[in-house]
Amino acid sequence: MRQYFILFIFGLFLAFSSCRTDFDTVASSGNLKFSKDTVYLDTVFKNIGSSTYQLKVYNKSKNDISIPTVQLKKGLSSKYRMTVDGMSGNNGKIFNNVTLLAKDSLYIFIETTADITDADPTDFLYTDEIQFDSGANLQEVALVTLIQDAVFLYPKQNPDGTKEKIKIDGKDVDGFYLNENDPVNGNELIFTKQKPYVIYGYAGVPQNKTATFEAGARVFFHANSGLYVDNKASLQINGTTSATEKLENEVVFEGDRLESLYDDIPGQWKSVILSNGSTNHSINHLTLKNAITGLDIRSQDNTTIQIKNTQIYNCAEYGILAQNARINGENIVINYAGLTSLSCVYGGNYLFTHCTFNNNWSNSPQFAVNLSNSLAGATPETNPLTQATFNNCIIYGSNTNEFNLDKNTNAAFVYQLNNCLLKFSSSSTNPDYQFKTDAVHYNQIILNENPKYYDASNNKFNIDNTSSAFAKGNQDYIIPLDIIGATRTSPPDLGAYQSAVFPK
């Protein structure tokens, strides 16, 4: 008897299951709920695909429903495309009889690829709607994307189907040389603010030529891309002071992913390389972020590179890597580097005044500043460090020691810190780190006191009058204006920023 009872229950279960295979759905009644009423797809460049965005659709009723149509209002001509619960529908534009169970939800994933000509010419927005059902039951969710026009620079295709290449460090890499008489772009050696530039591969500055970046120029580098300045070529970055946080007059180098998710992700592109023998460089008001190495500076042609009012953030390896270079730096700010914010190796000659070298990278050991007069594998392995002087600077970060000296006694190693705030928390008997007693190398050092930045985690290094760096600078080294153009008072504050009310 017990066996018959079990078979009876099992039969009822099968009958119930078979009658539920079509879910007994009822027609949608226009009462769907949505995770948002407008889906904003972040800014994209023309004809470059966007990231994927999601919309969640809820059936709050007690009935399983069937939505007769889920479609883009512009139909098959829409520049948007969707998947609905994993289904591709008709070219990702139109879906029929979409089932949604009671008290359940489904996901819609949305992408777009559009040209500037598809956008509204007054605001460059491309829009559409997702329509659910029709007539009295019609519900809509808006889609909005800002399309940016841009100048695209990339390696050409060779007749044999391979990509154009240039040599960097003896290796062929995907790249091209900028052309001052390009039939499409005109003079590619002059970067203006009229349109942003998107670079694929390495853009090379040819020998005996100069690449000039005018105030307000915006350059976006694709993955594995960068800028390469060849032997006897020059780089001139001519940004100026901006009045707002939009940095409207800065020259900006960053990756080409415009979604907010990528704002602070390191390593999205490679580097700006100033090669051996390149010459007469000047960098002013540059903001560079999210590279592997920001500025990779090699031995210069007996000229000193001027770097002023420059910010470098979120680099996977180095903010500035200088090898036997000559640099005069003023009002530089560097933060978040996977290895070192400023690394001067294989000797050279360096003078930094009113700079903030910080490293808040979460792992250790990273440094804010590293100095070395050697380089493994070089011939010879040592090279004289003839000067490394830091005046009115801050050298700080999240690790115990943010200052490192890698000294080889086979070559000169000349360094001096004057009126600097320095983080070096561990005690050391090494004679190179006697900050209070070694007057040859250290003068007026503030050791291990918090500079009280406004918000270092978000790269805001402004200070106010409660900072340990307030009014601790030496007037003899003063740079009259700080990194944002504020007038320095006497005695000046340490670092790149003159103290003021914190930004809002």
Side-chain angles (χ1 to χ4, degrees):
M1 179 64 69
R2 185 169 177 271
Q3 290 176 330
Y4 288 114
F5 179 76
I6 292 173
L7 288 173
F8 174 75
I9 295 297
F10 183 69
L12 285 177
F13 175 76
L14 286 177
F16 178 79
S17 299
S18 63
C19 76
R20 294 290 296 171
T21 55
D22 60 358
F23 302 108
D24 287 339
T25 59
V26 299
S28 170
S29 59
N31 291 316
L32 298 170
K33 303 297 180 184
F34 308 104
S35 57
K36 55 190 79 172
D37 56 14
T38 302
V39 179
Y40 294 97
L41 286 78
D42 280 320
T43 304
V44 296
F45 293 114
K46 64 174 187 177
N47 295 325
I48 301 297
S50 72
S51 290
T52 301
Y53 296 79
Q54 73 176 34
L55 172 71
K56 202 168 184 181
V57 183
Y58 301 93
N59 175 14
K60 300 287 188 179
S61 75
K62 297 180 181 180
N63 299 315
D64 301 334
I65 64 173
S66 177
I67 309 169
T69 57
V70 176
Q71 64 181 15
L72 293 164
K73 185 174 182 179
K74 294 179 179 178
L76 295 176
S77 66
S78 179
K79 300 299 180 179
Y80 292 101
R81 54 193 176 273
M82 305 183 293
T83 60
V84 177
D85 252 12
M87 299 179 294
S88 57
N90 186 351
N91 292 316
K93 318 290 186 180
I94 301 171
F95 300 78
N96 295 312
N97 300 317
V98 177
T99 298
L100 182 52
L101 301 182
K103 305 296 183 181
D104 203 353
S105 61
L106 60 81
Y107 281 99
I108 297 179
F109 294 99
I110 309 136
E111 300 174 331
T112 187
T113 304
D115 198 335
I116 192 70
T117 56
D118 299 315
D120 185 318
T122 62
D123 56 17
F124 303 107
L125 293 177
Y126 181 71
T127 61
D128 201 346
E129 287 87 36
I130 305 176
Q131 295 184 323
F132 299 83
D133 210 333
S134 59
N137 294 332
L138 175 65
Q139 293 179 269
E140 295 181 318
V141 173
L143 304 176
V144 180
T145 307
L146 176 64
I147 311 295
Q148 276 204 57
D149 198 2
V151 176
F152 291 88
L153 303 173
Y154 50 87
K156 303 296 189 295
Q157 188 119 337
N158 295 318
D160 63 0
T162 61
K163 279 186 180 178
E164 185 180 4
K165 295 184 183 296
I166 62 174
K167 279 194 181 298
I168 299 178
D169 298 331
K171 298 178 181 178
D172 287 332
V173 300
D174 288 344
F176 59 97
Y177 281 104
L178 297 166
N179 183 355
E180 59 189 335
N181 295 299
D182 186 82
V184 176
N185 300 321
N187 190 349
E188 295 177 336
L189 290 169
I190 298 178
F191 290 72
T192 73
K193 67 178 181 180
Q194 300 307 312
K195 292 182 182 180
Y197 296 80
V198 183
I199 292 178
Y200 290 77
Y202 267 98
V205 183
Q207 292 188 18
N208 302 309
K209 299 294 183 180
T210 298
T212 301
F213 293 79
E214 297 179 355
R218 297 289 189 268
V219 185
F220 299 86
F221 294 90
H222 193 62
N224 299 315
S225 299
L227 181 67
Y228 178 72
V229 184
D230 210 340
N231 178 43
K232 300 187 183 304
S234 301
L235 176 67
Q236 297 288 316
I237 294 179
N238 301 325
T240 60
T241 304
S242 298
T244 73
E245 288 190 354
K246 293 182 178 179
L247 304 177
E248 64 276 5
N249 295 321
E250 289 272 312
V251 173
V252 179
F253 289 175
E254 60 182 308
D256 68 345
R257 299 301 298 267
L258 303 185
E259 307 92 319
S260 57
L261 174 66
Y262 290 86
D263 283 350
D264 301 315
I265 294 180
Q268 295 180 44
W269 57 285
K270 286 201 169 175
S271 182
V272 175
I273 300 176
L274 307 182
S275 71
N276 292 329
S278 59
T279 185
N280 294 321
H281 307 302
S282 177
I283 297 175
N284 195 9
H285 285 286
L286 169 68
T287 295
L288 185 157
K289 58 183 184 177
N290 305 337
I292 293 176
T293 292
L295 298 177
D296 184 347
I297 304 172
R298 318 289 177 81
S299 298
Q300 305 301 291
D301 186 18
N302 294 318
T303 60
T304 298
I305 177 174
Q306 304 289 330
I307 306 177
K308 299 180 180 180
N309 309 305
T310 288
Q311 307 172 71
I312 301 175
Y313 301 127
N314 308 319
C315 292
E317 293 182 359
Y318 301 96
I320 295 178
L321 174 61
Q323 300 180 38
N324 189 28
R326 302 171 64 89
I327 299 175
N328 180 14
E330 300 174 0
N331 292 333
I332 298 173
V333 179
I334 306 178
N335 187 36
Y336 285 120
L339 295 176
T340 307
S341 293
L342 169 69
S343 189
C344 301
V345 301
Y346 202 45
N349 188 295
Y350 308 97
L351 173 61
F352 295 102
T353 306
H354 278 294
C355 296
T356 300
F357 299 119
N358 198 82
N359 200 350
N360 268 38
W361 196 271
S362 58
N363 299 323
S364 62
Q366 279 77 30
F367 300 109
V369 171
N370 172 66
L371 302 177
S372 171
N373 61 350
S374 62
L375 183 64
T379 304
E381 281 203 357
T382 59
N383 201 55
L385 179 66
T386 57
Q387 176 182 242
T389 300
F390 298 79
N391 299 322
N392 293 351
C393 292
I394 298 174
I395 300 172
Y396 202 78
S398 57
N399 290 312
T400 302
N401 299 327
E402 292 292 350
F403 182 64
N404 185 64
L405 301 174
D406 182 10
K407 181 178 179 181
N408 190 306
T409 57
N410 291 327
F413 196 92
V414 180
Y415 64 99
Q416 189 174 62
L417 280 67
N418 302 307
N419 298 81
C420 292
L421 188 155
L422 176 67
K423 186 174 183 182
F424 195 98
S425 298
S426 61
S427 60
S428 176
T429 58
N430 187 324
D432 293 330
Y433 299 107
Q434 302 310 307
F435 304 107
K436 297 298 185 181
T437 59
D438 179 2
V440 173
H441 297 106
Y442 305 104
N443 296 291
Q444 299 299 314
I445 301 301
I446 301 171
L447 195 61
N448 300 320
E449 293 191 22
N450 193 333
K452 296 182 180 178
Y453 301 126
Y454 174 61
D455 186 0
S457 62
N458 287 304
N459 297 321
K460 295 183 182 294
F461 290 93
N462 314 71
I463 63 170
D464 67 7
N465 59 11
T466 67
S467 170
S468 300
F470 173 73
K472 295 299 193 305
N474 188 324
Q475 179 68 25
D476 292 343
Y477 310 127
I478 192 170
I479 305 298
L481 300 179
D482 78 352
I483 190 171
I484 58 173
T487 301
R488 284 194 167 94
T489 56
S490 182
D493 302 329
L494 304 182
Y497 287 93
Q498 175 66 21
S499 58
V501 176
F502 282 148
K504 303 232 175 165

